Amino acid sequence: AQSVTQPDIHITVSEGASLELRCNYSYGATPYLFWYVQSPGQGLQLLLKYFSGDTLVQGIKGFEAEFKRSQSSFNLRKPSVHWSDAAEYFCAVGAGGNTPLVFGKGTRLSVIA
Amino acid sequence: GAGVSQSPSNKVTEKGKDVELRCDPISGHTALYWYRQSLGQGLEFLIYFQGNSAPDKSGLPSDRFSAERTGGSVSTLTIQRTQQEDSAVYLCASSFGVGGNEKLFFGSGTQLSVL
């Protein structure tokens, strides 16, 4: 069965600084990988997803993520963080077929002035 | 509806009582999921319905938890004899087609508090 690890529980960055949120997965084959964001008082929203092809995927709100098979990682990045990016970020892995997504425990992002 | 609807948004109950949580998925979505979100625990998979297939119940934490989906649409998650450790946000999500590679659309959740 697949699993996801998000090593950082909480990260604080300054507005305008770059951001990288880590995600490591465990799965025997090529996984389907996702990043979701949960803003305060709002439901979870898909930021981006990787299925195949180009290992650098672009998402909404200026986010991107890179799939690195050799490191079993799918880290989320943004070159310049805005205060509105403060939220909880979840990495998820899917095995395809008739199976549910497995989510990590999330990373809470705080943005300071 | 325009999105996944969950009710109630908040539920406070006494230990030992039964509760029912409702999820109304996006029309046409064949897959429906229930997840539980506890502080520091991320999203814990509970149960998954896909079309007319038997549901995947592998995530249900105990036999006090059950769920059904009527007519391939609305789903109800039932927790019997609630315990304080059941306090959490219960999230419902739906998607087109098969799970694992589809975008999930989440509801706003039901905040359950067991006193």
Side-chain angles (χ1 to χ4, degrees):
Chain A
Q2 66 271 35
S3 65
V4 180
T5 300
Q6 293 182 248
D8 305 304
I9 297 173
H10 183 206
I11 286 181
T12 300
V13 300
S14 299
E15 190 169 15
S18 63
L19 170 71
E20 182 169 29
L21 302 182
R22 296 183 292 165
C23 172
N24 293 97
Y25 69 90
S26 174
Y27 183 59
T30 300
Y32 301 101
L33 295 163
F34 304 78
W35 275 98
Y36 282 82
V37 60
Q38 186 177 36
S39 300
Q42 298 186 26
L44 281 100
Q45 180 183 20
L46 180 67
L47 280 176
L48 47 80
K49 59 185 179 183
Y50 169 79
F51 290 167
S52 64
D54 193 347
T55 56
L56 183 64
V57 294
Q58 303 296 321
I60 62 172
K61 304 184 180 184
F63 285 92
E64 65 178 27
E66 186 171 12
F67 170 56
K68 293 186 176 180
R69 184 188 303 275
S70 61
Q71 299 177 18
S72 298
S73 69
F74 189 57
N75 294 350
L76 181 71
R77 301 194 294 250
K78 187 170 184 177
S80 177
V81 170
H82 188 260
W83 64 267
S84 61
D85 293 325
E88 186 100 23
Y89 291 81
F90 294 92
C91 183
V93 61
N98 207 24
T99 61
L101 275 186
V102 173
F103 285 82
K105 293 190 176 183
T107 297
R108 184 161 63 93
L109 174 65
S110 297
V111 181
I112 59 175
Chain B
V4 178
S5 178
Q6 291 188 246
S7 61
S9 56
N10 282 281
K11 176 71 176 178
V12 180
T13 190
E14 294 179 350
K15 177 181 173 181
K17 295 288 180 81
D18 297 351
V19 295
E20 286 189 352
L21 312 180
R22 176 188 169 103
C23 173
D24 201 341
I26 294 173
S27 178
H29 280 191
T30 60
L32 186 149
Y33 308 75
W34 284 98
Y35 288 88
R36 179 168 68 176
Q37 185 175 19
S38 306
L39 194 62
Q41 295 301 311
L43 274 73
E44 176 189 6
F45 165 72
L46 297 178
I47 188 169
Y48 163 56
F49 296 88
Q50 171 56 40
N52 295 321
S53 302
D56 179 348
K57 304 180 182 180
S58 60
L60 294 178
S62 76
D63 58 8
R64 296 186 295 105
F65 288 72
S66 63
E68 63 177 19
R69 187 178 185 190
T70 54
S73 181
V74 172
S75 176
T76 302
L77 177 69
T78 301
I79 308 174
Q80 296 178 308
R81 305 180 303 280
T82 52
Q83 303 296 313
Q84 289 182 332
E85 61 263 28
D86 299 334
S87 297
V89 176
Y90 289 81
L91 293 169
C92 176
S94 68
S95 69
F96 285 113
V98 297
N101 59 357
E102 289 284 340
K103 174 182 178 180
L104 299 188
F105 294 80
F106 282 85
S108 297
T110 294
Q111 172 75 62
L112 175 65
S113 300
V114 182
L115 305 179

